Amino acid sequence: MKTTKFSINRNLLLGAFFLLSIFAVKASSISKEKETTSDDEFDTKELIFHHITDSHSFHIAGDLALPLPIILWTENGLVTFMSSEFHHDIDGKTIVEKNGLKFVNVHEKIYQLEAGASSVAFDAEHHPTNAKKPLNISITKNVFSMFLSMAFILLIFLLSARSYKRSNNNMPSGIGKFMEPIVLFIRDEVAIPNIGEKHYGRYMPFLLTLFFFIWINNVIGLIPFFPFSSNLSGNIAFTVTLALFTFIITLFSSKKYYWKHMLWMPGLPVPMKLFLAPIEFMGMFIKPIALTIRLFANITAGHIIVLSLISLTFIFKNYFVGVGSVVFVVFISVIEVLVVAIQAYIFTMLSALYFGQALEEEH
């Protein structure tokens, strides 16, 4: 009993440290950025968007950052250099010259200056007027984080497979023992009920990859003191791509009854069929859109709420407000730990549901 109580207390202390460290890291980062700016009023909106949007380097603290490669395709061919050559400038003041071309970084968007231009000019809405965007295929922090999560997934499944291979009674050990109930949960509670026992097997690799890919990327975005943390699921391009895969697989899996039920519902009067057919057809495209927005909005909202609460400390400059911010940040962070897993489950479950609808037999 004493050992159990000690274990529980230890886990609670570690959990509290984990959540409070989130506040410490983010608050430290905000404080450093505040010191490097002028004495103007604290701009919460600019701070939040700076943290949740993609960038060409991993900001750690102050002027310390991990640079990433910038890869551009221009009229002079391929141009590559490290983002550190901009010296943390995102206002277009620092010019990098490569292959006879000049490049500037304007709010993490790379522009190529026109011939003869020595500085970037802006219009009233702060859009460059004498520069254009080259084809940017750089490895940004979101792309790097995605590659990192892919490496984690590959390592996890390889180690799990090895634990099964080495076991004599088909009972895994180590990480395999941790992974087995999750895989069985996706199979028994997601794939089979929604797709059916006849067809679920061929969709399991995609559903497992989808679940772990979303979940691990979301978890990486919450880890404090981790230099490669990024808001990948808060990038609309990421969620659109995942939803597009689900949409394409649904279309290629669809049977005749799926289209018949959508375009000419059996058992209904003709006027009702004419009324429901366009609605059902639009629903085919609305489903992936809903998948996209649900994941994007929920993950982004969590980051915005946490950053907004931390910003209250620097807006009011009051210790009582700071203590209140810590309490609420810890509370939201607890919810976020659950939300990142729930959102991965919902995306996977809805994908399986759409596959099952496409495979439904006539009855």
Side-chain angles (χ1 to χ4, degrees):
M1 181 66 69
K2 291 182 179 180
T3 304
T4 304
K5 288 183 178 180
F6 174 76
S7 178
I8 294 173
N9 291 333
R10 182 185 63 184
N11 291 335
L12 288 174
L13 288 173
L14 289 174
F17 173 76
F18 174 84
L19 296 171
L20 287 173
S21 61
I22 295 177
F23 175 85
V25 172
K26 293 184 181 294
S28 175
S29 176
I30 293 174
S31 178
K32 288 290 185 181
E33 291 182 15
K34 178 68 176 173
E35 290 173 3
T36 57
T37 58
S38 60
D39 294 331
D40 296 335
E41 186 178 353
F42 186 76
D43 192 344
T44 305
K45 183 179 74 172
E46 182 180 352
L47 172 77
I48 291 174
F49 278 97
H50 173 73
H51 276 78
I52 66 174
T53 53
D54 201 4
S55 65
H56 289 86
S57 63
F58 285 98
H59 178 260
I60 299 177
D63 292 332
L64 181 61
L66 295 176
L68 293 170
I70 293 178
I71 307 171
L72 307 171
W73 183 259
T74 68
E75 61 265 24
N76 289 358
L78 193 67
V79 177
T80 61
F81 56 94
M82 297 300 292
S83 61
S84 56
E85 296 197 33
F86 285 118
H87 303 291
H88 311 290
D89 174 48
I90 60 171
D91 297 320
K93 297 178 182 178
T94 302
I95 298 176
V96 176
E97 296 190 28
K98 296 289 179 180
N99 291 10
L101 303 174
K102 299 178 181 178
F103 303 96
V104 293
N105 185 347
V106 180
H107 302 301
E108 297 299 346
K109 293 181 176 61
I110 309 301
Y111 288 88
Q112 176 188 328
L113 293 178
E114 295 178 352
S118 58
S119 62
V120 61
F122 299 95
D123 58 16
E125 297 180 352
H126 202 69
H127 296 148
T129 57
N130 62 341
K132 61 181 180 180
K133 292 181 183 178
L135 179 60
N136 192 342
I137 50 176
S138 305
I139 299 178
T140 62
K141 69 176 185 180
N142 280 348
V143 175
F144 187 89
S145 180
M146 181 174 63
F147 287 152
L148 185 64
S149 67
M150 291 167 61
F152 280 156
I153 293 172
L154 186 61
L155 179 63
I156 289 170
F157 277 96
L158 286 176
L159 292 176
S160 299
R162 179 183 292 182
S163 69
Y164 271 98
K165 187 176 180 180
R166 290 182 174 180
S167 63
N168 296 324
N169 55 357
N170 206 28
M171 292 294 292
S173 60
I175 194 169
K177 186 179 292 186
F178 171 78
M179 291 290 293
E180 185 179 46
I182 302 176
V183 173
L184 292 178
F185 174 79
I186 298 297
R187 186 194 69 181
D188 298 338
E189 303 297 330
V190 176
I192 294 178
N194 291 293
I195 301 175
E197 293 189 8
K198 183 179 178 181
H199 301 288
Y200 83 92
R202 55 177 170 164
Y203 296 96
M204 276 296 292
F206 175 75
L207 295 176
L208 287 172
T209 302
L210 194 64
F211 175 79
F212 283 102
F213 191 48
I214 296 173
W215 186 30
I216 289 177
N217 274 298
N218 289 344
V219 169
I220 288 176
L222 293 179
I223 300 176
F225 303 111
F226 188 62
F228 305 116
S229 177
S230 70
N231 181 31
L232 183 58
S233 294
N235 188 312
I236 194 70
F238 175 77
T239 57
V240 164
T241 303
L242 295 182
L244 189 60
F245 275 112
T246 296
F247 177 68
I248 292 173
I249 293 173
T250 303
L251 288 182
F252 279 93
S253 301
S254 59
K255 295 189 175 182
K256 182 175 69 174
Y257 182 72
Y258 173 73
W259 296 99
K260 181 180 178 181
H261 186 273
M262 180 190 302
L263 302 176
W264 203 250
M265 288 187 181
L268 292 179
V270 174
M272 186 61 68
K273 291 180 179 180
L274 295 173
F275 175 75
L276 291 177
I279 297 176
E280 288 291 327
F281 184 75
M282 287 190 298
M284 181 177 65
F285 299 97
I286 292 173
K287 288 174 182 177
I289 294 174
L291 281 177
T292 298
I293 296 175
R294 180 183 287 106
L295 179 59
F296 165 76
N298 280 282
I299 299 303
T300 303
H303 286 273
I304 291 176
I305 291 172
V306 169
L307 290 168
S308 299
L309 290 171
I310 295 175
S311 298
L312 292 176
T313 304
F314 302 96
I315 293 173
F316 292 98
K317 299 178 181 179
N318 185 289
Y319 287 107
F320 294 103
V321 175
V323 172
S325 296
V326 172
V327 173
F328 281 107
V329 166
V330 171
F331 175 72
I332 296 297
S333 298
V334 172
I335 297 176
E336 277 293 286
V337 172
L338 298 175
V339 166
V340 295
I342 291 171
Q343 289 304 314
Y345 163 72
I346 291 176
F347 200 105
T348 307
M349 188 269 292
L350 289 176
S351 296
L353 178 63
Y354 299 155
F355 299 158
Q357 291 175 345
L359 293 166
E360 188 176 359
E361 300 287 349
E362 187 168 1
H363 53 80

